[in-house]
Amino acid sequence: MSLTAAASGFVVFLLSVQVVQGWNEWRVTYTSTKICVIKGSTVDIRCTYRYPSWENGRYTNVKERFWFTKMNGNDFVDLRTDPEYSGRVQYISDNNNCHLRITDLRKSDSAEYKFRFITNQPGGEYSGSPGVTLSVTDLRVQFIKWRELKCHSICDPPYSSYVWYKNGQKIQSVTYKSLFSDNFGYADSYSCAVKEHEDFPSPPVCVHGQTCNRVTYTDRSICASKGSSVDISSTYNSYTFNVESKFWFSPERSHQWQSPSQPEDLSKYSQYAGRVQVVERLRGRSTLRITDLRESDSAQYRFKFTAGSFEWNSILPGTTLTVTALQVQVTRIKVHQSYTEAELKCHSSCSPVGRLSYVWFNNGKEITWPRTSSYKAWFSHTDIISCALKGHQNHPSPSVSAPRFASVSVSPSGEIVEGSSVTLTCSSDANPAANYTWYKRNGNQYLQPPSKEQLVFRSIQSSDSGEYYCTAENELGRRTSQYISINVKYAPKTPSISVSPSGEIVEGSPVTLNCSSDANPAATYTWYKENQTVIQGPKGISHFPSIRLEDRGIYYCKSENQYGQINSTAVNIDVEYGPKLPSMSVSPSGEIVEGSSVNLTCSSDANPAANYTWYKEDEDSPKASGQIFIITDFRPEHSGNYYCEAQNRRGRHNSTVHEIVMSRSMKSVAAGSITAIFLAIILLCAFLLIRRKRSLKQSTEPRKRPDNRAQLNMNPVYDNCSAVAQTKPAEEDDDISYASVSFSDNKEDPLYSNIRPAQANRQKHEEEEEDEDSVEYTTVNFNNSSASPQLKHREAVEDLSSLYSAITKNPRP
Ligand SMILES: *[C@@H]1O[C@H](CO)[C@@H](O)[C@H](O)[C@H]1NC(C)=O
Ligand SMILES: *[C@@H]1O[C@H](CO)[C@@H](O)[C@H](O)[C@H]1NC(C)=O
Ligand SMILES: *[C@@H]1O[C@H](CO)[C@@H](O)[C@H](O)[C@H]1NC(C)=O
Ligand SMILES: *[C@@H]1O[C@H](CO)[C@@H](O)[C@H](O)[C@H]1NC(C)=O
Ligand SMILES: *[C@@H]1O[C@H](CO)[C@@H](O)[C@H](O)[C@H]1NC(C)=O
Ligand SMILES: *[C@@H]1O[C@H](CO)[C@@H](O)[C@H](O)[C@H]1NC(C)=O
Ligand SMILES: *[C@@H]1O[C@H](CO)[C@@H](O)[C@H](O)[C@H]1NC(C)=O
């Protein structure tokens, strides 16, 4: 039992040694070691690989992996860099799978293919060896012996299943071996294919001689550039030498018709109208020429002929045409200061089909090398690269270049008005297409969003004015555009106005009004006073060298350009000036009656309003202040020359002198009454003296008396007599502009002694009423304002009214 296990383990080892290589954990495992494929077809070579994930204190990372067949000195030549394989190899790898696909196989591709990977470990490079031996073979029909043909390939072991064709028609049979026997006719041609590779049959052969019925195509596939012309050729032969009809057709197109089995002449299709031509310069060699190729012309083309009852109606593949629009692609790039290192690829939809040779151009001139689809070089800004298929040089690809220019355009052109929509477009000739970045001059930042061909202002603002530029950048380089100036026009903004000097404006001083507002184009200004134009112009300045009173008023300005107008707020210009000559009026006019009231009124034009001070000539101190000076109870001494002074902070001015005269008649009356009063007082004093003496004798008990009365008795008459002019109570003086003046001479003026104000003594009267002897004579009631005394008091006074009538003050006239 253990022996069996050991034996089977050995067998497994023997089998696996074929496909597993490696030591430790480094290994590459190929799924097969020998592959044989038919020329023109595609092969997939697969493997897996592994390596220690941790070694030398670090994780292992795979840096590079590729396939190779040969070495260049000590270097392994990556198949992708080998021009022989250009456009035909693909690495389809993921994780630890390695997968190489080679298309359009050539016989020269026969080689041993090995996978190699390079890691970050020291010496961590590994090639899976031995590799996979690939054999690429032709198929050929070989004549073995009478009635026996062989489908020959170099494959060992040979393919197991084949398909045979007679005159292009599949021989209806199951799978055939490579030993095929039949009753061969001299007229028939034979070809074979490997099953499941029927697209790659052998060329048809005659069993005997070269004159059997057959069609042989010169090319299995042709790649042509869009716009160019192509020749598709075949040689044909009819065994009977009697070809009656022949034409080219496309099986794909024929399917569009009702009867696929009945292909139609290509020239009958509208798609090809005027573009196809069949030429036969040599007998038995037909060439289909299609001009002005379109990509839709990509198809398979076959030739068909009929000769007598024979019809060549082969199912074997004809010539496959691929029409391609070439394109230069940038596959690798390294940008340096003044040049760019890049690898370009001439991409065509033909690749990898067909054996293509390429031509590269710089600035329209053919470069002698390379001939492959890849072109690796240093490129400068001035290089303009394109490629073409060899033989189709007149139909090159669009060229690639770094942007040679970048320019900015503005839409709409013309004036840009605030609020409108504006689009800036950056354009360049870059190919591959550039990406774009926008900048505003003096703005450090690029503008958002970046990398857009267009910069759109949905509603442009005045702040968007400025100079803009863009850069266009592709893989091959970068260009900066010129500046473009964006000047956003807008109606004036609300004007700001200023008055200089600020503060109070004094008559005669220079004054400047300044109106300014932001506008594009610059505004013109109009200054208005109330509704009248003061000045109009581009400056917005209204200057008064010496401002006058009549310049006072409400001013505002209007700012205007072709996009609109707007008025400023109003400003009040107030001109201050000192008082003009005050005018003074006296009411009543003319001579003043003694005791009457006189109003002196002063008025002066002034700004701000003046205050007033009253003077009497030859008196230093002012008499009063206020616009109206009221002299109540006009007295002779009030006569004189009055004037007023008007004053404000800008100056002062005295009025002319106004003489106020007391009427003469009233003066003599007054003089007479003064004499009478004087006499009356003497009489009164004498009477009082006599009476006092009498009463002292009659009375036994002395009477208690108030102090003042006692004093009165002891003092001389003059001392006790006082005169007080009626004073207007303060609470009644509610009008500030009227002056209230009190002429109180008190005891200094002997003329008025003994006269006392009634109100001040009223209280005393009441106390003294009981003393009938003394009260009545002490006081003279001098009440102008008819403040009604109490009844008792009046009765008491009545007794003496006749006696004192001479000194009772006359009421006002
Ligand atoms: C613009 O293109 C350059 C070059 O191809 C590239 O380096 C850059 O990242 C791109 N910028 C943007 C925003 O796509
Ligand atoms: C008027 O005002 C503007 C804005 O304040 C100012 O630029 C200009 O100098 C002023 N002009 C004068 C004459 O003061
Ligand atoms: C302008 O002012 C004058 C004088 O105050 C007045 O008569 C006139 O109607 C005003 N005009 C307008 C348009 O307000
Ligand atoms: C500005 O004032 C002028 C003069 O009074 C008047 O004609 C105009 O209509 C006003 N403009 C605006 C925008 O109010
Ligand atoms: C004097 O002014 C006062 C207060 O305005 C007024 O009541 C009085 O009638 C005036 N007197 C004369 C004589 O104009
Ligand atoms: C009158 O106005 C002047 C200037 O404003 C001031 O100096 C003065 O005190 C005022 N006089 C009176 C009596 O108000
Ligand atoms: C007006 O008169 C007063 C008093 O005489 C005097 O002090 C003052 O200077 C005078 N004012 C003017 C402007 O003459």
Side-chain angles (χ1 to χ4, degrees):
M1 203 166 100
S2 61
L3 184 73
T4 316
S8 61
F10 180 69
V11 170
V12 168
F13 175 73
L14 277 179
L15 288 173
S16 61
V17 80
Q18 295 279 317
V19 291
V20 178
Q21 292 84 29
W23 49 271
N24 293 345
E25 296 209 51
W26 298 85
R27 70 172 66 161
V28 173
T29 311
Y30 300 101
T31 46
S32 51
T33 54
K34 263 176 103 178
I35 299 175
C36 188
V37 285
I38 298 155
K39 186 183 155 194
S41 67
T42 297
V43 70
D44 288 298
I45 304 174
R46 289 186 169 89
C47 66
T48 58
Y49 62 101
R50 38 189 312 196
Y51 49 86
S53 59
W54 177 270
E55 215 173 72
N56 302 319
R58 69 175 88 164
Y59 286 105
T60 310
N61 291 322
V62 176
K63 297 237 168 258
E64 221 183 302
R65 44 194 184 178
F66 59 89
W67 293 82
F68 69 97
T69 58
K70 57 191 174 197
M71 297 194 57
N72 183 4
N74 286 330
D75 295 334
F76 299 87
V77 179
D78 185 340
L79 281 189
R80 287 173 303 193
T81 64
D82 188 340
E84 287 293 312
Y85 291 90
S86 172
R88 297 193 298 125
V89 295
Q90 267 177 285
Y91 294 172
I92 313 163
S93 299
D94 60 343
N95 299 327
N96 284 14
N97 294 315
C98 23
H99 179 178
L100 167 68
R101 175 174 289 171
I102 310 173
T103 53
D104 189 22
L105 283 164
R106 306 168 185 181
K107 274 184 162 176
S108 59
D109 294 339
S110 299
E112 185 186 350
Y113 290 82
K114 293 175 191 167
F115 178 72
R116 181 172 176 80
F117 63 99
I118 300 169
T119 68
N120 60 337
Q121 299 289 0
E125 306 183 5
Y126 190 80
S127 300
S129 188
V132 177
T133 305
L134 175 71
S135 310
V136 181
T137 183
D138 272 339
L139 279 186
R140 255 182 316 118
V141 175
Q142 259 183 351
F143 182 74
I144 304 292
K145 57 184 188 208
W146 182 245
R147 294 174 61 154
E148 195 167 334
L149 295 176
K150 188 186 175 196
C151 195
H152 173 80
S153 77
I154 59 160
C155 293
D156 180 26
Y159 285 98
S160 53
S161 313
Y162 297 87
V163 181
W164 285 90
Y165 302 90
K166 178 181 167 185
N167 291 332
Q169 296 289 344
K170 198 171 178 177
I171 294 170
Q172 294 299 327
S173 215
V174 276
T175 315
Y176 286 83
K177 300 271 181 187
S178 71
L179 232 38
F180 171 61
S181 44
D182 193 9
N183 288 319
F184 303 118
Y186 289 141
D188 298 325
S189 62
Y190 292 88
S191 62
C192 67
V194 173
K195 189 150 170 68
E196 284 163 7
H197 292 273
E198 284 93 338
D199 283 349
F200 304 97
S202 73
V205 295
C206 301
V207 175
H208 190 75
Q210 298 296 323
T211 58
C212 63
N213 291 312
R214 61 175 171 174
V215 172
T216 309
Y217 298 97
T218 311
D219 299 293
R220 211 177 58 74
S221 69
I222 294 179
C223 187
S225 304
K226 186 181 170 187
S228 66
S229 309
V230 72
D231 286 351
I232 301 170
S233 306
S234 70
T235 54
Y236 66 94
N237 191 63
S238 160
Y239 189 67
T240 61
F241 293 106
N242 192 14
V243 172
E244 282 151 8
S245 84
K246 56 196 174 190
F247 59 86
W248 286 84
F249 70 97
S250 172
E252 285 95 334
R253 306 274 175 267
S254 299
H255 288 313
Q256 297 164 1
W257 290 68
Q258 300 95 325
S259 169
S261 58
Q262 288 298 314
E264 281 291 330
D265 187 346
L266 210 58
S267 56
K268 292 186 179 158
Y269 292 82
S270 60
Q271 185 193 342
Y272 294 94
R275 296 195 295 125
V276 294
Q277 196 187 346
V278 177
V279 287
E280 191 166 346
R281 290 222 184 77
L282 290 171
R283 191 183 170 87
R285 184 179 175 87
S286 177
T287 300
L288 169 70
R289 173 168 293 172
I290 310 175
T291 55
D292 189 19
L293 282 168
R294 303 169 185 175
E295 280 169 284
S296 60
D297 294 339
S298 298
Q300 195 191 130
Y301 294 90
R302 289 189 202 160
F303 183 75
K304 179 185 159 140
F305 69 87
T306 51
S309 61
F310 178 77
E311 186 178 67
W312 177 267
N313 194 4
S314 169
I315 63 159
L316 289 172
T319 296
T320 301
L321 171 69
T322 308
V323 179
T324 182
L326 292 174
Q327 203 188 340
V328 178
Q329 291 176 337
V330 181
T331 52
R332 285 186 210 181
I333 187 83
K334 201 169 177 187
V335 181
H336 299 274
Q337 189 76 28
S338 55
Y339 64 92
T340 300
E341 203 180 332
E343 186 179 320
L344 308 180
K345 187 185 172 206
C346 192
H347 174 83
S348 75
S349 50
C350 298
S351 304
V353 179
R355 192 163 304 193
L356 302 174
S357 203
Y358 295 87
V359 181
W360 289 90
F361 301 91
N362 190 353
N363 284 308
K365 282 170 87 177
E366 211 171 310
I367 304 167
T368 48
W369 66 274
R371 293 287 180 207
T372 57
S373 66
S374 298
Y375 176 26
K376 192 173 175 183
W378 291 355
F379 297 97
S380 78
H381 274 294
T382 53
D383 290 330
I384 306 162
I385 309 294
S386 60
C387 68
L389 295 172
K390 183 145 179 73
H392 296 268
Q393 275 96 323
N394 290 337
H395 301 280
S397 69
S399 52
V400 298
S401 59
R404 274 171 302 166
F405 73 91
S407 68
V408 180
S409 62
V410 186
S411 164
S413 57
E415 277 189 343
I416 293 169
V417 182
E418 192 174 43
S420 65
S421 167
V422 174
T423 302
L424 306 185
T425 305
C426 189
S427 47
S428 82
D429 63 344
N431 186 4
N435 61 24
Y436 297 94
T437 313
W438 286 95
Y439 298 86
K440 190 176 181 184
R441 195 173 194 170
N442 299 332
N444 296 329
Q445 284 285 314
Y446 56 76
L447 300 164
Q448 294 288 347
S451 303
K452 283 263 177 76
E453 199 170 347
Q454 293 191 324
L455 182 63
V456 179
F457 299 94
R458 303 222 173 281
S459 171
I460 200 161
Q461 297 304 304
S462 57
S463 56
D464 294 326
S465 287
E467 288 185 295
Y468 290 83
Y469 65 97
C470 67
T471 60
E473 180 180 14
N474 71 3
E475 290 90 334
L476 298 174
R478 178 184 156 111
R479 275 286 142 138
T480 301
S481 73
Q482 300 274 315
Y483 292 108
I484 192 156
S485 185
I486 297 297
N487 187 0
V488 180
K489 312 277 182 168
Y490 51 96
K493 312 283 182 198
T494 306
S496 68
I497 51 178
S498 66
V499 180
S500 154
S502 58
E504 289 117 18
I505 290 166
V506 184
E507 185 186 12
S509 65
V511 171
T512 303
L513 307 183
N514 184 359
C515 178
S516 80
S517 95
D518 188 17
N520 188 9
T524 57
Y525 300 94
T526 310
W527 270 103
Y528 293 96
K529 182 189 175 190
E530 269 91 44
N531 62 8
Q532 289 186 314
T533 303
V534 177
I535 195 165
Q536 194 164 20
K539 283 265 163 61
I541 305 286
S542 178
H543 182 67
F544 301 90
S546 168
I547 198 155
R548 298 164 303 157
L549 297 188
E550 52 268 38
D551 294 328
R552 280 176 295 175
I554 307 288
Y555 287 79
Y556 62 93
C557 79
K558 180 177 79 183
S559 174
E560 184 175 24
N561 66 11
Q562 68 246 50
Y563 300 104
Q565 55 161 250
I566 187 163
N567 287 348
S568 72
T569 55
V571 62
N572 184 18
I573 300 296
D574 190 21
V575 178
E576 294 193 354
Y577 50 96
K580 305 291 172 195
L581 176 68
S583 73
M584 184 181 149
S585 64
V586 181
S587 169
S589 55
E591 293 186 336
I592 312 298
V593 178
E594 185 177 13
S596 66
S597 176
V598 181
N599 287 3
L600 305 183
T601 306
C602 187
S603 60
S604 166
D605 185 13
N607 185 22
N611 61 26
Y612 299 92
T613 313
W614 292 92
Y615 293 95
K616 192 175 178 199
E617 213 167 51
D618 304 328
E619 282 181 29
D620 285 343
S621 54
K623 300 296 286 181
S625 63
Q627 191 168 15
I628 300 178
F629 171 29
I630 305 171
I631 305 171
T632 55
D633 186 21
F634 196 85
R635 298 270 157 183
E637 63 273 17
H638 293 150
S639 297
N641 290 328
Y642 288 86
Y643 59 94
C644 64
E645 184 189 49
Q647 183 182 9
N648 66 10
R649 60 172 173 255
R650 296 290 157 218
R652 48 194 193 166
H653 209 137
N654 284 351
S655 71
T656 53
V657 173
H658 209 101
E659 188 180 14
I660 298 176
V661 187
M662 194 175 198
S663 85
R664 192 165 290 273
S665 55
M666 286 309 286
K667 258 184 194 167
S668 53
V669 168
S673 40
I674 287 165
T675 315
I677 290 167
F678 190 70
L679 288 171
I681 289 168
I682 292 169
L683 280 172
L684 178 64
C685 293
F687 171 77
L688 287 171
L689 212 65
I690 294 161
R691 192 177 157 149
R692 169 89 28 122
K693 280 178 179 173
R694 273 187 202 165
S695 56
L696 279 170
K697 282 174 188 172
Q698 283 170 5
S699 121
T700 50
E701 276 182 87
R703 279 196 185 183
K704 196 178 166 187
R705 287 175 188 277
D707 289 348
N708 61 347
R709 178 60 59 89
Q711 209 170 347
L712 180 72
N713 292 336
M714 275 136 49
N715 286 342
V717 173
Y718 297 108
D719 288 348
N720 267 334
C721 294
S722 66
V724 180
Q726 175 65 38
T727 304
K728 198 174 181 185
E731 59 267 31
E732 284 177 26
D733 187 10
D734 50 5
D735 193 344
I736 288 165
S737 64
Y738 295 91
S740 301
V741 182
S742 159
F743 286 102
S744 177
D745 291 330
N746 291 332
K747 290 170 185 173
E748 282 92 36
D749 193 345
L751 197 66
Y752 306 113
S753 50
N754 256 358
I755 299 169
R756 285 193 190 167
Q759 279 176 306
N761 294 320
R762 195 171 295 160
Q763 187 77 20
K764 223 171 233 178
H765 290 175
E766 284 168 20
E767 284 171 11
E768 288 170 2
E769 249 162 51
E770 294 161 30
D771 186 356
E772 292 173 4
D773 301 315
S774 53
V775 174
E776 292 79 10
Y777 318 111
T778 53
T779 320
V780 176
N781 190 359
F782 205 145
N783 189 355
N784 273 344
S785 56
S786 68
S788 60
Q790 287 177 7
L791 189 60
K792 282 182 188 172
H793 176 76
R794 190 172 282 177
E795 283 168 357
V797 173
E798 261 170 30
D799 293 338
L800 296 170
S801 58
S802 54
L803 184 64
Y804 305 129
S805 58
I807 59 165
T808 302
K809 183 80 173 73
N810 286 336
R812 258 181 280 177

